[in-house]
Amino acid sequence: MNAAPIAGTGQPLLQVKGLKKHFAMAKPFLNRLLEGGEQQTVKAVDGLDLEIPRGQTLSLVGESGCGKSTVARLIMGLSNPSGGSILFDGADISRAPAGQPADIRRRMQMIFQDPYASLNPRWRVADIIAEPLRTYGMCASRQDERREVDRLLEFVGLNARDGDKFPHEFSGGQRQRISIARAISTKPEFLVCDEPTSALDVSVQAQILNLMREMQRELGLTYLFISHDLAVVNFMSDWIGVMYLGRLVEVSPAAELFANPQHPYTRLLLDTIPDLGMSKRDRQPAAGEVPNPINPPPGCHFHPRCALANERCRSEAPVLRMYDGGVRASCHAVEEGRAIEPIVAQASAVHPLRAAV
Amino acid sequence: MALLEVENLKVEFPTRKGVLTAVDNVSFNVEQGEILGVVGESGAGKSMTGAAVIGLLEPPGRIGGGQIRLDGKRIDNLSPDEMRKVRGRHIGAIFQDPLTSLNPLFTVGEQLVETIRTHLPMSAAEARKRAIGWLAEVGIPAPDRRFDQYPHQFSGGMRQRVVIALALCAEPRLIIADEPTTALDVSVQAQIIALLKRVCRERNAAAILVTHDMGVIAETADRVAVMYAGRLAEIGPVAHVLQKPSHPYTAGLMGSIPRVGPRPERLIQIEGSMPRLTDIPTGCAFNPRCPKVFAECHRVRPELRPVADGAAACLLYEGVTP
């Protein structure tokens, strides 16, 4: 596979090579024995290559089931990869046991989607934020620790007095600020943010996104940002990776991806962004849905929904290739120059789910 | 006369801490064949408004005042039995999660036939034919085969199509769609919106589209009502409200939505968050977060006044000088 560096300057903070996660989806043993049937696997992540330069943001976008959250969990060591490597600052952490090596895990933290589920309701906020500090023994005394917690609370826009309260006393946006304070308490360099604003209202989402951009500027953080909302991704990212059924179909500089999308699936996604300026326009929405990941289409997974699909697409899986402007796309049509025309992936006759809207 | 008239609607919840007002003095009309979008953040009362119109408020929630009229006839004071006849026949409903709106123990066809025969005088064979016609109408391939399948055999997008067919099969003149696309993936969301728009237009059915997603509103609605803390902040034609909002809340809301295009350093943000129902401030409910707040806002509750093509509830338009 080609893992060409996506930015020329220095060693990237995070490098992922050929990352795989396969889940066994077989029927129970006895059923298999009696009824026949084979072991089935879902290739949630199927050979993923990406790199994130220091101080920058790479976002993964895609529809549900494309494997973007699995990538986040693999990188954080919350789940063991089935193959491939994860290099953080040059060190391979893909085979390390959970929480190890501690000096590297301290430098990577995560913000979760649902601030109602990711904070322990029985703990006071100060304890929630101090837990990572205690785990890594970063504060000499309780006074030290409390001072640090107060500083963090104020840094994320809360009040130092809020440390004595419980999570239920806060709104969704404030809870997400608490999660952020906890995540940055160990002074990490790298944050994985898995849909951090999807559970929030838009006016609160803007506050959290602004806070995350400020943090990146002030603390020099590197982000892996995961979202299904392309407009949010546009605001946050330097790089965008588009995933479809466990594979990256395109990785490009953010501006390039929006101005000049290459892969037909990227174009489909961009076409679904509602246009706030031009109301009541009649769109021709792309037909079909994401197929079942247990039995994805052969060749290019996207071919049943793709207007440019031909025989090669149906049999041979494309690999990521480098194009001008730092764009990488895995598409035979792009490679062969068949995708030059601006296309809208339309209902194609080959797809069984073809829906006449 | 408008198809639906909602006048000074109040929805209340009696709790141990006193009676909470989830929808407070809301008035609007829906014309024949029109799609009215209702937007707001969670807790703004938009779903409650829809539920009150269709008579599906969850107890202890209740209509505490005002009137709802369909074709000039009051429907807010009907008995549950009378309301059941209105629901489905005259008002159809589409909810967020298609899996919970369908009964998993009956085939899709049985559910459609039951709905059709409850409301329209038809034989079983006629109803079946009509149900299959509806499945085809909402874009389900091989409808005569799908007729005998159960909801779990459908994908999320296909299920929502079935729910739309169910809502429309008795040919109601008004549809309440509460977050119909929120549970769906973006590419499917666009299909469902296009479908909803098309069937409403073809049947001349009106719709109230409740959503938190301004994008969905921009694509679908003719007019939009913006709700905040149980009250109407602004109502008017979509292009006007989205592009030249009159109310400072709408302006802030539109500014805080990230967009595709040049990447700004910061998004416009409204400080704070919407008040809980237990502590809605006096005067204008938006005053603690409003960038244009002045002294009167803390005392006087603004009424909805005509502004440009629409109306806004803001003291800036009441001739009160800051």
Side-chain angles (χ1 to χ4, degrees):
Chain A
M1 302 290 284
N2 74 8
I6 53 179
T9 50
Q11 187 193 35
L13 185 63
L14 185 87
Q15 266 178 301
V16 170
K17 287 179 190 162
L19 188 65
K20 285 189 180 138
K21 179 68 188 181
H22 297 177
F23 293 102
M25 286 288 291
K27 286 181 196 164
F29 170 75
L30 194 60
N31 293 56
R32 266 207 322 273
L33 197 73
L34 297 176
E35 301 163 14
E38 290 174 10
Q39 284 274 16
Q40 284 183 313
T41 51
V42 175
K43 296 179 177 171
V45 179
D46 192 16
L48 191 91
D49 298 308
L50 50 86
E51 309 192 346
I52 312 180
R54 272 167 215 278
Q56 297 195 8
T57 302
L58 181 136
S59 294
L60 288 178
V61 292
E63 297 178 89
S64 33
C66 72
K68 54 193 193 301
S69 291
T70 307
V71 174
R73 297 178 56 83
L74 291 172
I75 290 173
M76 290 308 294
L78 297 173
S79 168
N80 294 321
S82 315
S85 60
I86 302 165
L87 301 173
F88 184 82
D89 210 1
D92 190 345
I93 53 170
S94 57
R95 300 282 175 278
Q100 299 292 326
D103 57 325
I104 284 183
R105 292 294 175 196
R106 179 192 66 75
R107 294 160 65 193
M108 24 192 343
Q109 295 293 338
M110 184 159 178
I111 301 168
F112 296 90
Q113 171 170 356
D114 184 354
Y116 292 84
S118 62
L119 303 177
N120 188 333
R122 291 163 171 265
W123 283 26
R124 289 183 195 277
V125 166
D127 290 321
I128 291 174
I129 297 174
E131 191 188 16
L133 295 171
R134 292 173 195 161
T135 305
Y136 292 103
M138 295 180 72
C139 289
S141 65
R142 284 271 154 166
Q143 285 82 3
D144 246 22
E145 182 189 290
R146 188 58 206 244
R147 238 192 326 270
E148 181 60 13
V149 168
D150 291 352
R151 189 188 68 80
L152 286 163
L153 279 169
E154 275 165 15
F155 182 82
V156 297
L158 294 171
N159 196 304
R161 285 195 307 275
D162 290 336
D164 296 323
K165 297 185 185 163
F166 287 96
H168 71 87
E169 297 174 68
F170 296 89
S171 68
Q174 288 169 322
R175 286 180 208 217
Q176 205 56 307
R177 288 176 193 268
I178 296 169
S179 309
I180 292 173
R182 174 178 61 184
I184 61 172
S185 64
T186 62
K187 303 199 166 49
E189 293 147 58
F190 178 65
L191 282 187
V192 172
C193 318
D194 188 1
E195 304 257 15
T197 61
S198 319
L200 306 178
D201 281 315
V202 278
S203 73
V204 180
Q205 166 173 284
Q207 298 168 4
I208 298 295
L209 293 178
N210 281 339
L211 172 66
M212 291 182 61
R213 287 277 300 269
E214 273 163 35
M215 275 168 31
Q216 184 164 41
R217 274 193 294 269
E218 279 183 38
L219 308 175
L221 293 171
T222 306
Y223 289 144
L224 173 66
F225 191 88
I226 290 169
S227 178
H228 66 278
D229 185 331
L230 281 157
V232 168
V233 159
N234 176 51
F235 178 68
M236 290 300 297
S237 323
D238 300 290
W239 299 86
I240 297 173
V242 181
M243 286 187 72
Y244 191 74
L245 285 178
R247 295 178 186 166
L248 270 176
V249 298
E250 183 165 353
V251 189
S252 299
E256 198 65 32
L257 186 113
F258 282 98
N260 198 10
Q262 293 297 318
H263 197 283
Y265 180 62
T266 311
R267 299 180 192 192
L268 182 158
L269 278 187
L270 291 183
D271 200 54
T272 61
I273 304 174
D275 184 352
L276 288 172
M278 210 170 78
S279 51
K280 296 231 52 174
R281 106 192 125 122
D282 275 307
R283 286 192 301 191
Q284 279 294 320
E289 293 181 39
V290 181
N292 187 344
I294 296 182
N295 201 357
C300 171
H301 287 342
F302 187 63
H303 83 254
R305 299 173 77 184
C306 182
L308 301 172
N310 65 11
E311 218 25 71
R312 187 178 172 207
C313 303
R314 284 188 266 280
S315 54
E316 179 190 335
V319 294
L320 274 179
R321 283 177 200 283
M322 190 79 159
Y323 298 96
D324 290 347
V327 173
R328 291 191 296 162
S330 68
C331 175
H332 296 314
V334 172
E335 184 196 337
E336 296 163 11
R338 283 188 283 128
I340 295 168
E341 293 292 301
I343 45 155
V344 180
Q346 287 289 343
S348 73
V350 283
H351 198 268
L353 280 180
R354 195 187 106 83
V357 175
Chain B
M1 186 178 58
L3 175 66
L4 179 81
E5 295 163 289
V6 175
E7 202 178 302
N8 302 327
L9 177 68
K10 216 169 190 174
V11 174
E12 295 175 339
F13 280 81
T15 67
R16 276 178 300 169
K17 291 179 187 169
V19 176
L20 301 181
T21 310
V23 176
D24 193 359
N25 218 14
V26 164
S27 304
F28 60 87
N29 289 346
V30 182
E31 304 291 333
Q32 194 75 255
E34 174 189 53
I35 299 183
L36 174 75
V38 179
V39 280
E41 301 182 84
S42 28
K46 53 192 193 306
S47 290
M48 288 295 158
T49 307
V53 170
I54 199 167
L56 286 178
L57 280 175
E58 291 268 347
R62 61 177 189 223
I63 294 179
Q67 290 194 358
I68 303 170
R69 290 187 297 271
L70 186 71
D71 264 337
K73 287 195 276 295
R74 278 187 73 169
I75 56 167
D76 55 292
N77 54 359
L78 297 181
S79 70
D81 271 348
E82 290 170 316
M83 194 60 207
R84 201 169 298 133
K85 289 187 189 121
V86 172
R87 212 182 299 132
R89 180 69 191 92
H90 299 289
I91 309 179
I94 301 167
F95 295 107
Q96 175 169 345
D97 182 359
L99 201 51
T100 52
S101 336
L102 296 170
N103 189 331
L105 299 179
F106 291 91
T107 65
V108 158
E110 284 164 345
Q111 300 183 48
L112 275 165
V113 166
E114 187 203 352
T115 312
I116 292 170
R117 294 197 68 197
T118 305
H119 296 293
L120 302 174
M122 265 191 201
S123 70
E126 279 173 323
R128 182 191 161 94
K129 218 169 120 196
R130 190 163 179 142
I132 291 173
W134 267 107
L135 289 177
E137 175 84 25
V138 295
I140 291 176
D144 35 357
R145 192 170 53 81
R146 298 293 250 171
F147 182 88
D148 292 315
Q149 292 187 342
Y150 289 88
H152 75 265
Q153 292 169 291
F154 288 73
S155 67
M158 288 294 147
R159 257 179 231 146
Q160 197 62 305
R161 288 171 192 268
V162 172
V163 172
I164 292 178
L166 265 177
L168 284 154
C169 64
E171 312 232 314
R173 296 167 62 202
L174 177 68
I175 293 160
I176 314 278
D178 190 349
E179 305 272 10
T181 59
T182 309
L184 305 174
D185 271 321
V186 282
S187 66
V188 180
Q189 184 172 328
Q191 297 167 8
I192 296 297
I193 289 173
L195 169 67
L196 196 60
K197 257 167 85 169
R198 194 197 50 161
V199 287
C200 281
R201 193 186 302 146
E202 283 173 9
R203 315 263 149 184
N204 199 25
I208 297 180
L209 178 65
V210 175
T211 177
H212 68 281
D213 188 335
M214 277 290 188
V216 171
I217 294 286
E219 298 265 311
T220 320
D222 300 295
R223 284 192 307 138
V224 58
V226 182
M227 290 190 70
Y228 186 80
R231 305 167 184 186
L232 265 188
E234 180 166 4
I235 184 166
V238 160
H240 175 86
V241 174
L242 265 54
Q243 283 163 21
K244 292 194 212 83
S246 304
H247 198 286
Y249 173 63
T250 321
L253 199 60
M254 292 309 297
S256 64
I257 301 173
R259 296 178 192 226
V260 173
R263 181 181 167 196
E265 272 304 298
R266 280 179 73 78
L267 296 166
I268 294 169
Q269 66 181 52
I270 312 176
E271 299 301 333
S273 52
M274 196 163 65
R276 295 179 188 193
L277 291 178
T278 43
D279 43 22
I280 292 178
T282 53
C284 174
F286 186 57
N287 75 52
R289 306 174 74 190
C290 183
K292 295 185 173 168
V293 67
F294 51 92
E296 285 300 295
C297 300
H298 298 283
R299 285 194 293 275
V300 186
R301 178 172 164 178
E303 296 296 322
L304 212 54
R305 307 262 162 182
V307 183
D309 299 338
C314 177
L315 292 184
L316 288 172
Y317 303 104
E318 291 201 12
V320 184
T321 36

